[in-house]
Amino acid sequence: RSCRPSVEMVWPARVWWWWWLLSAAVGEALQVGPLRATERVVESSNVVEPVIRLGHGYDIHRMASREEAGQPVVISGVRFNGTEAPDFELGTVAHSDGDVVYHSVVDAILGALTLPDIGQLFPDNDPRLRGADSEIFMEEAYRRMRDRGYRIGNCDVTLICQKPRVNVEFHGTSVKSLMRANLSRLLRTPLSCVNVKARTHEKVDAVGECRALECHVVITLLKEGGVLHGA
């Protein structure tokens, strides 16, 4: 039997091909207007940068006795050792200080900029980073964001831990307000653009059993000088 395709086989393929070309052309034509309204061209590198970028960050760290961890729990720059927040018997097991909020924020910024993640920029086998203050990661992420011409639009943090409790006051100051203030300072953005939410894990799994704590962050970056459609 001949291997030459029949008319019935060829014609649908040709129809599909021309339909695809037509759809692509129409789609491109329809996108020209919105692209011009929501994106701007960086003339120096001819790279199209969107006015708004969205990033998500996540981190989790194991907790253990303070002796095993060798350090206290640090959340958004607040140390739970009786100095800035109530003393907590466990510590965070990590190469650096194990700040899940800062690490998540850094990954959210890097993700929004389509850059390598925090583990690639700051590997956990680098001896120079042993016990490092995670503020240095925040500063590097901020620098890279500014180099690309962006600023923070909004930073929304969801901390998940059974303990330590963060919705508490310590020496008359809200612990969560300290966390927000630290983020506002490092991101050079108003407090109104930063939120920290905290919830337990209903005593389920490692987080609920106080063997770990985790964090999710959603962040928006705004292009300096960018004009939003309809603005």
Side-chain angles (χ1 to χ4, degrees):
R1 184 179 180 181
S2 173
C3 293
R4 183 178 179 181
S6 65
V7 173
E8 289 78 8
M9 294 174 62
V10 173
W11 175 244
R14 288 177 176 172
V15 170
W16 179 89
W17 174 248
W18 284 108
W19 174 252
W20 183 87
L21 287 178
L22 178 61
S23 299
V26 171
E28 184 177 355
L30 290 175
Q31 290 180 11
V32 169
L35 282 175
R36 288 175 178 171
T38 60
E39 296 180 335
R40 61 192 294 268
V41 177
V42 181
E43 295 180 356
S44 59
S45 58
N46 292 323
V47 174
V48 177
E49 291 274 24
V51 173
I52 301 177
R53 284 181 176 270
L54 176 68
H56 171 260
Y58 169 79
D59 194 31
I60 184 170
H61 278 293
R62 184 168 70 88
M63 291 193 295
S65 67
R66 190 81 65 84
E67 181 180 3
E68 179 184 343
Q71 58 187 2
V73 168
V74 181
I75 304 175
S76 195
V78 177
R79 301 172 70 84
F80 284 78
N81 61 356
T83 57
E84 302 167 296
D87 193 21
F88 184 55
E89 67 271 18
L90 302 180
T92 307
V93 179
H95 187 64
S96 64
D97 63 8
D99 193 322
V100 292
V101 171
Y102 283 0
H103 294 180
S104 299
V105 170
V106 168
D107 249 359
I109 294 174
L110 296 176
L113 298 171
T114 63
L115 294 174
D117 61 47
I118 188 173
Q120 292 176 272
L121 294 182
F122 305 103
D124 60 8
N125 57 2
D126 188 338
R128 297 171 299 176
L129 300 177
R130 169 66 66 182
D133 187 333
S134 292
E135 281 199 12
I136 65 174
F137 309 150
M138 291 281 284
E139 292 289 356
E140 178 62 18
Y142 179 82
R143 183 189 68 79
R144 289 172 180 254
M145 176 186 71
R146 295 302 298 160
D147 285 350
R148 290 277 290 277
Y150 284 91
R151 61 181 174 83
I152 296 294
N154 189 70
C155 177
D156 187 27
V157 175
T158 302
L159 173 69
I160 309 169
C161 61
Q162 199 68 32
K163 289 183 179 179
R165 299 287 187 180
V166 300
N167 292 318
V168 297
E169 288 195 356
F170 186 68
H171 295 328
T173 303
S174 164
V175 170
K176 216 157 56 165
S177 70
L178 293 177
M179 296 178 177
R180 288 183 65 210
N182 285 338
L183 289 171
S184 174
R185 170 176 56 86
L186 291 169
L187 296 174
R188 282 78 159 175
T189 195
L191 274 172
S192 60
C193 296
V194 177
N195 191 31
V196 175
K197 309 186 303 293
R199 56 159 299 161
T200 69
H201 211 251
E202 300 296 334
K203 299 183 179 180
V204 176
D205 296 336
V207 174
E209 295 170 358
C210 296
R211 294 186 286 115
L213 70 166
E214 61 182 345
C215 181
H216 289 269
V217 169
V218 175
I219 211 162
T220 56
L221 307 184
L222 303 180
K223 189 69 175 176
E224 293 285 6
V227 179
L228 295 177
H229 183 56

